[in-house]
């Protein structure tokens, strides 16, 4: 356990479903991130939150909707996804955005869109 | 823009062989550089880092030296073990950055 917990670990959803991914950390970090990991591609930064405020949206389609109710929790709400959205979604946290001590990652949610 | 380029994998080695995974970067100013490792079914773990030129990061027998003149941060290990089999990611944060930028990852497979 790294200190960043993601649930569920695996998710299969249809293209018309609505689901949410959850990320939780109690490391005292103020910044949280969503990354998408697809085969044969670099990890793609999706969203950055700092003190609950979104500071970066990396041109992510609106079918992905993040929510950060407090510095310890981060959600990714999913609706009307496409099969190409199937990937491993990783949450990470750090004391501040871009800090050079490194980030702590969760184990990820393996999403399959059918 | 900022980017990281890693050597294509997979890298297949026998136990106790020498490992090098190449990483070069493009960034403004003086970025901090990282190597992360991802074991099967898990998230990424920080392996080592270097925050300024000529710094050497090291951990678990792995080393990487921040070379500004060649914009490189190659990962090395003198004697790999089967347990080192994983995917290795090179990454950077630039001085004005907000988040880590990753390379594509290099898969290492070590056989006994």
């Amino acid at each position: 356990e790294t200190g960043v917990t993601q649930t569920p670990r695996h998710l299969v959803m249809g293209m018309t479903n609505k689901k949410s991914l959850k990320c939780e950390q109690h490391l005292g970090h103020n910044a949280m991130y969503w990354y998408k990991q697809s085969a044969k591609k670099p990890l793609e930064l999706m969203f950055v939150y700092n003190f609950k405020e979104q500071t970066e949206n990396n041109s992510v389609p609106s079918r992905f909707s993040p929510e950060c109710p407090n510095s310890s929790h981060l959600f990714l709400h999913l609706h009307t996804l496409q099969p190409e959205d199937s990937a491993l979604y990783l949450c990470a946290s750090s004391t501040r955005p871009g800090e050079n001590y490194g980030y702590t990652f969760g184990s990820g949610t393996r999403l399959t869109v059918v | 823009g900022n980017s990281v380029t890693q050597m294509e994998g997979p890298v297949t080695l026998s136990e106790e062989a020498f490992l090098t995974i190449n990483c070069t970067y493009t960034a403004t100013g003086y970025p901090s550089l990282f190597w992360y490792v991802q074991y099967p079914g898990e998230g990424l773990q920080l392996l080592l880092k270097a925050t300024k030129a000529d710094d050497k990061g090291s951990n678990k027998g792995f080393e990487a030296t921040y070379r500004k003149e060649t914009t490189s941060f190659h990962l090395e290990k003198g004697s790999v073990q089967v347990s080192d089999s994983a995917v290795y990611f090179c990454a950077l944060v630039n001085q004005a950055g907000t988040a880590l930028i990753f390379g594509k990852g290099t898969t290492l497979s070590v056989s006994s």
Side-chain angles (χ1 to χ4, degrees):
Chain A
E1 195 61 53
T2 66
V4 176
T5 303
Q6 290 187 243
T7 54
R9 290 295 302 271
H10 301 272
L11 178 63
V12 179
M13 60 185 290
M15 289 189 284
T16 58
N17 291 159
K18 290 185 180 181
K19 297 286 184 183
S20 296
L21 310 185
K22 180 181 177 182
C23 176
E24 183 174 357
Q25 59 90 10
H26 296 288
L27 300 170
H29 291 168
N30 299 310
M32 297 187 77
Y33 314 82
W34 281 116
Y35 281 87
K36 176 183 178 182
Q37 185 178 22
S38 304
K40 308 296 184 185
K41 295 173 71 173
L43 272 78
E44 301 171 54
L45 176 65
M46 301 175 72
F47 301 102
V48 180
Y49 277 82
N50 188 32
F51 288 100
K52 305 188 301 178
E53 299 298 320
Q54 186 181 121
T55 58
E56 190 160 335
N57 176 339
N58 216 22
S59 302
V60 180
S62 60
R63 58 186 183 270
F64 295 91
S65 175
E67 178 190 2
C68 190
N70 54 61
S71 293
S72 298
H73 294 86
L74 183 65
F75 296 89
L76 188 62
H77 303 302
L78 315 171
H79 64 96
T80 326
L81 294 192
Q82 304 299 311
E84 60 265 28
D85 296 322
S86 298
L88 181 67
Y89 288 84
L90 291 165
C91 174
S93 70
S94 67
T95 53
R96 60 174 174 82
E99 61 96 0
N100 62 8
Y101 289 103
Y103 295 3
T104 303
F105 281 82
S107 298
T109 294
R110 174 69 63 184
L111 174 67
T112 303
V113 181
V114 297
Chain B
N2 304 311
S3 66
V4 175
T5 303
Q6 289 181 238
M7 61 186 291
E8 293 285 331
V11 174
T12 304
L13 296 174
S14 298
E15 206 164 24
E16 300 184 2
F18 184 86
L19 168 71
T20 299
I21 300 178
N22 290 338
C23 171
T24 57
Y25 67 89
T26 302
T28 54
Y30 297 88
S32 295
L33 302 173
F34 305 83
W35 278 100
Y36 278 80
V37 59
Q38 185 178 32
Y39 298 102
E42 298 183 17
L44 277 70
Q45 301 174 28
L46 178 63
L47 181 60
L48 54 84
K49 68 181 179 77
T51 58
K52 61 183 188 293
D54 300 324
D55 266 3
K56 177 185 284 187
S58 62
N59 186 25
K60 300 181 181 180
F62 291 89
E63 293 182 341
T65 301
Y66 189 143
R67 302 284 189 201
K68 185 159 179 64
E69 64 276 12
T70 54
T71 62
S72 65
F73 192 55
H74 304 321
L75 182 68
E76 297 181 336
K77 186 174 185 182
S79 176
V80 293
Q81 305 300 311
V82 173
S83 57
D84 294 326
S85 299
V87 183
Y88 291 82
F89 293 89
C90 187
L92 69 82
V93 169
N94 73 1
Q95 286 176 299
T98 58
L100 281 172
I101 306 298
F102 287 90
K104 289 186 178 182
T106 302
T107 299
L108 170 65
S109 178
V110 181
S111 58
S112 59

